[in-house]
């Protein structure tokens, strides 16, 4: 393939259905932004899976190259901060939804969206962490900013075998917290236990609506699921407990009462990684390097797929068949 040609996974809307296919593109087909990146790796996130399969209203402009994150090397940029050869990581900013994303061997983006790769981190490791791991770090930051310490009591992580949950369990464990995991699947317990979870909360009650207040069980929680699960988490919090909510794998609805908030002083904190200011991104990535043991990453990254295999992996993710992080090697087509 010529130097000016590359491959990308492209989503096109045909008869109101999403069609995903590998296409050969020229560099001049890329968006008109100020920085050209040679992409090394991306990841598969829940939002990507919804976009690729067409099962969620994620894509806002067509055609679209999905992939909400990527890591690679600057080829050229009009921003003097990003000289050729600079290794960078990108998460969020509606990339893969409104702007072309990471499932491409080259991409052109706004330099304001980039973060220089922290010292000691490879582009592969950055995407083994990816948006999910970055979001997990933000959730831990939120709990600590709310004065939740290891001495506060047990921390519940829901969706603990998923991308965000896996990294959250590993980081919390490394920081000395006692982590209880909710996976929804006993077959995933061994995997999550290896990351540091010391107990599991799985049971039939998690599919049922809770009472306004349940027995107090958790000092804090990181929730990736939403819906009935988040409602029960709130009802089971200790007095003064804190919940960092960042996902909706179980649904976007939330049927609850004010009781946990006005009788137990529970705090519900929303965590967003898409529009986070750059200075906060830089510090969060540095914290990841410090607080997530790099040797744990190989255990968290359960699957590596090529661009060709992303569609099948997306279906498996939505079907709950995957665990941990899914790395996308965009140069292994």
């Amino acid at each position: 393939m010529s130097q000016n040609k590359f491959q990308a996974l492209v989503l096109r809307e045909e008869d109101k259905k999403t069609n995903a296919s590998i296409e050969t593109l020229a560099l001049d087909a890329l968006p008109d932004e100020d920085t050209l990146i040679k992409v090394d790796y991306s990841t598969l996130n829940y939002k990507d899976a919804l976009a690729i399969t067409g099962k969620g209203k994620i894509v806002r402009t067509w055609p679209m190259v999905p992939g909400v994150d990527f890591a690679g090397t600057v080829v050229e940029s009009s921003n003097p901060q990003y000289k050729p050869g600079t290794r960078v990581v990108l998460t969020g900013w509606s990339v893969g939804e409104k702007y072309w994303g990471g499932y491409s061997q080259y991409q052109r983006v706004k330099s304001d969206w980039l973060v220089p790769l922290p010292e000691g981190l490879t582009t592969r490791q950055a995407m083994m962490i990816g948006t999910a791991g970055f979001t997990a770090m933000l959730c831990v930051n939120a709990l600590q900013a709310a004065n939740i310490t290891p001495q506060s009591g047990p921390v519940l992580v829901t969706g603990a075998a998923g991308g965000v949950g896996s990294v959250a369990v590993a980081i919390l464990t490394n920081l000395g917290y006692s982590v209880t995991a909710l996976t929804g699947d006993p077959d995933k317990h061994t995997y999550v236990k290896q990351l540091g979870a010391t107990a599991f909360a799985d049971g039939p009650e998690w599919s049922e609506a809770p009472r306004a207040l349940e027995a107090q069980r958790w000092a804090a929680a990181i929730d990736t699921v939403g819906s009935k699960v988040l409602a029960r988490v709130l009802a089971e919090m200790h007095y003064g407990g804190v919940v960092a909510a960042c996902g909706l794998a179980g649904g976007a609805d939330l049927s609850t009462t004010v009781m946990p908030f006005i009788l137990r002083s529970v705090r519900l904190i929303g965590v967003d990684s898409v529009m986070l200011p750059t200075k906060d991104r830089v510090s969060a990535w540095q914290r990841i390097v410090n607080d997530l043991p790099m040797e744990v990453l190989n255990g968290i990254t359960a699957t590596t797929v090529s661009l060709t295999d992303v569609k099948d992996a997306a279906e498996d993710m939505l079907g709950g068949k995957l665990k941990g992080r899914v790395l996308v090697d965009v140069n292994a087509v």
Side-chain angles (χ1 to χ4, degrees), residues 156-186:
L156 176 69
V157 176
T158 72
V164 176
S166 295
V167 180
V169 170
I171 293 175
L172 287 167
T173 298
N174 187 56
L175 292 174
Y177 290 85
S178 175
V179 180
T180 298
L182 176 66
T183 68
D185 183 356

Side-chain angles (χ1 to χ4, degrees), residues 61-186:
T61 58
W62 302 92
M64 175 57 59
V65 174
V68 300
D69 54 22
F70 64 78
T73 304
V74 173
V75 176
E76 59 185 26
S77 177
S78 60
N79 185 337
Q81 179 182 354
Y82 292 104
K83 300 183 184 303
T86 303
R87 296 183 306 157
V88 293
V89 59
L90 184 151
T91 63
W93 301 114
S94 296
V95 167
E97 305 171 58
K98 186 178 179 181
Y99 308 102
W100 280 20
Y103 296 168
S104 176
Q105 293 170 334
Y106 285 87
Q107 195 52 268
R108 192 176 278 119
V109 297
K110 296 181 187 296
S111 57
D112 290 346
W113 298 342
L114 300 171
V115 172
L117 209 61
E119 190 70 30
L121 201 65
T122 68
T123 54
R124 186 173 190 274
Q125 288 172 326
M127 284 297 99
M128 291 167 77
I129 297 163
T131 292
F134 180 68
T135 303
M137 186 74 257
L138 297 179
C139 288
V140 174
N141 283 347
L143 296 186
Q144 293 189 320
N147 297 317
I148 298 297
T149 69
Q151 291 71 43
S152 299
V155 179
L156 176 69
V157 176
T158 72
V164 176
S166 295
V167 180
V169 170
I171 293 175
L172 287 167
T173 298
N174 187 56
L175 292 174
Y177 290 85
S178 175
V179 180
T180 298
L182 176 66
T183 68
D185 183 356

